[in-house]
Amino acid sequence: MEKVSKRIAALADSQTLAMNQKSKDLEAQGIDIINLSVGEPDFFTPEHVKEAAKKAIDANYTFYSPVPGYPDLRKAISVKLKEENNLNYSPAQIVVSNGAKHSLANAIMTIIDPGDEVIVLAPYWVSYVELVKLAEGKTVIINTSIENDFKATPAQIEAAITPRTRALLICSPSNPTGSVYTRDELEGIARVIEKHPNIIVLSDEIYEHINFVGKHESIAQFDFIFERVIVINGVSKGYSMTGWRIGYLAAPCWIANACNKLQGQFTSGPSSIAQKASVAAITGDKSFTREMNKAFRRRRDLVIDMMKEIPGMKINIPQGAFYVFPDMSYFFGKTFQGKKIENADDLSLFLLSEAHVASVSGDAFGAPECIRFSYATSDDKLREAFKRIKRSLELLQ
Ligand code: PMP
Ligand code: GLU
């Protein structure tokens, strides 16, 4: 009998990865698709990082590493957190995993019991809700609006808290909206959390290095909640290392130890070679990251200028990450060749088939009026993509 567990049957596919695959399948058929679906930097991993990986192979770093990662990598992360973020985490408080997604999964599995509530701010990244579901937790969604730059207020968070609330998930810079919380905004949220000692904050900071407004601000900086914050980060975005699969969390010892136990049963330590490459990334020259940040900023400006020329697209100005997340509801109810565009799913598919541009429907992010476009691709492709999008949207009646 072909029967998967209820747990997996109830799980949704990752829409970001599904759309990326769909786009690649069409490309393989010879169709000229511009893929703005998945979010990953389009730059090659820096040379010094690749060299470190080659050296690691030659030096026979080919055995299991300690479950939470090699001591030198955990030390490098501890120093990075002190120097870049002014956060005091010892290496013992750091667990290295197979990407930030895995770190998030470890953290959620570690702190959530069945029925526990997790506050998630919509629009949210696709995997949060599904990971909470796997842990049999209950997500409590707070909706935000484009007018407020998709940011939640302390009052909204306060109102969502119940005696069952166990965690708050926050992502800044945000995927999918590109919003970046200021220090004051984070402090306002931290003051609410301070009053509720059972709540743990999961702070997803994977886009730390793709920030156009200056210094990265972590909610872990507030001493009065520090003991209840888990920082999630990794090398995927800041060093263009998505395929290397290295992420990490920094947390109070009791949480780090529990994640270590879980990881020891589930996956063991992450790739030995990728860990050595990550040491080079984290301790090495940062000019690559600075240049990449500049390129994303330029592309953000380029894309926003082109979007302003498309009547009906409502936009916020993203201040980090590499996504734009326009409200496209103006186009819902319009028709193309007799077929009605009912929602963002229909519109995203229409753009794929008519403009040959892949995007991700906002539905996957808890914002059914929006569509996400990643601008992590060349300026030329972006120009062509938005020309095609504009032309296709003009066909809608
Ligand atoms: N959090 C967010 C908000 C992301 O966009 C991503 C990238 N998909 C991740 C976590 C996971 O990153 P990684 O590739 O390191 O697993
Ligand atoms: N950060 C990417 C995205 O949101 C990667 C895809 C994923 O890991 O789901 O598109």
Side-chain angles (χ1 to χ4, degrees):
M1 184 178 52
E2 291 181 9
K3 180 181 165 297
V4 297
S5 65
K6 291 197 184 79
R7 192 179 297 120
I8 301 305
L11 196 67
D13 283 313
S14 163
Q15 287 308 308
T16 44
L17 298 179
M19 208 49 192
N20 189 38
Q21 194 54 51
K22 196 173 213 157
S23 158
K24 295 214 154 111
D25 291 347
L26 289 170
E27 263 177 85
Q29 291 168 27
I31 303 174
D32 170 26
I33 299 287
I34 302 179
N35 185 2
L36 308 186
S37 66
V38 78
E40 64 175 339
D42 53 319
F43 299 90
F44 294 128
T45 299
E47 282 307 318
H48 69 279
V49 175
K50 293 198 268 192
E51 279 310 315
K54 290 176 202 166
K55 276 202 193 120
I57 296 174
D58 289 339
N60 292 308
Y61 280 100
T62 54
F63 299 95
Y64 291 128
S65 77
V67 171
Y70 285 122
D72 60 345
L73 177 55
R74 293 162 81 208
K75 173 89 182 119
I77 294 166
S78 157
V79 169
K80 173 252 178 271
L81 289 167
K82 180 68 198 164
E83 286 179 354
E84 291 183 13
N85 313 110
N86 197 25
L87 299 176
N88 289 310
Y89 287 104
S90 70
Q93 294 178 272
I94 289 153
V95 179
V96 183
S97 304
N98 298 290
K101 193 184 276 189
H102 185 203
S103 303
L104 269 163
N106 277 344
I108 290 171
M109 287 298 164
T110 292
I111 59 171
I112 301 304
D113 268 326
D116 282 353
E117 293 178 2
V118 179
I119 298 177
V120 174
L121 315 177
Y124 47 75
W125 181 50
V126 287
S127 294
Y128 297 156
V129 169
E130 297 305 315
L131 287 173
V132 171
K133 204 196 278 175
L134 263 187
E136 296 178 54
K138 183 170 169 265
T139 40
V140 174
I141 307 284
I142 293 180
N143 288 308
T144 62
S145 69
I146 196 165
E147 287 76 20
N148 197 28
D149 196 22
F150 292 116
K151 288 180 189 174
T153 63
Q156 278 181 301
I157 291 170
E158 180 87 72
I161 291 173
T162 77
R164 301 295 318 248
T165 308
R166 181 59 171 143
L168 164 71
L169 242 160
I170 184 158
C171 178
S172 177
S174 157
N175 176 4
T177 64
S179 308
V180 177
Y181 282 82
T182 64
R183 186 189 178 284
D184 284 355
E185 287 163 345
L186 290 175
E187 183 168 11
I189 294 172
R191 286 289 172 203
V192 173
I193 298 302
E194 184 186 17
K195 291 188 273 177
H196 301 274
N198 285 333
I199 301 182
I200 291 173
V201 181
L202 268 152
S203 178
D204 184 345
E205 304 181 16
I206 191 74
Y207 292 97
E208 161 177 20
H209 292 112
I210 305 165
N211 178 337
F212 317 132
V213 285
K215 189 169 146 287
H216 175 67
E217 300 288 352
S218 169
I219 196 162
Q221 71 186 276
F222 303 107
D223 291 347
F224 52 89
I225 59 160
F226 180 69
E227 284 303 320
R228 292 190 277 125
V229 179
I230 306 176
V231 173
I232 309 278
N233 207 330
V235 295
S236 295
K237 314 288 167 172
Y239 304 96
S240 205
M241 291 176 69
T242 45
W244 297 76
R245 308 310 303 133
I246 296 291
Y248 59 84
L249 61 77
C253 278
W254 67 272
I255 294 177
N257 292 343
C259 290
N260 187 6
K261 181 164 76 169
L262 172 62
Q263 187 159 297
Q265 293 293 9
F266 229 86
T267 56
S268 308
S271 154
S272 53
I273 299 153
Q275 286 190 60
K276 289 294 173 187
S278 301
V279 173
I282 292 170
T283 60
D285 178 41
K286 296 289 178 294
S287 51
F288 168 85
T289 305
R290 277 195 301 273
E291 287 308 311
M292 183 172 66
N293 194 53
K294 270 193 220 155
F296 282 133
R297 189 188 180 127
R298 188 189 63 242
R299 292 173 184 172
R300 188 269 318 254
D301 292 344
L302 173 71
V303 164
I304 293 292
D305 282 349
M306 292 186 292
M307 289 169 86
K308 283 183 180 157
E309 298 300 310
I310 304 180
M313 268 194 188
K314 199 157 135 195
I315 50 176
N316 69 315
I317 310 292
Q319 295 174 329
F322 37 66
Y323 308 100
V324 279
F325 200 58
D327 179 323
M328 304 289 276
S329 51
Y330 170 83
F331 301 98
F332 302 169
K334 295 188 182 287
T335 55
F336 175 65
Q337 295 178 343
K339 200 168 168 281
K340 199 164 178 188
I341 304 287
E342 304 276 6
N343 49 37
D345 285 356
D346 288 353
L347 193 59
S348 174
L349 289 175
F350 164 77
L351 291 175
L352 185 61
S353 61
E354 278 313 304
H356 292 166
V357 173
S359 57
V360 186
S361 161
D363 233 13
F365 306 95
E369 66 289 355
C370 296
I371 284 190
R372 190 188 80 173
F373 300 99
S374 157
Y375 54 85
T377 192
S378 70
D379 296 25
D380 283 349
K381 281 196 181 165
L382 290 171
R383 277 194 202 93
E384 174 63 18
F386 281 89
K387 209 190 293 168
R388 292 188 197 177
I389 292 169
K390 182 165 190 281
R391 224 167 27 214
S392 300
L393 290 173
E394 282 165 3
L395 300 174
L396 294 176
Q397 293 181 332

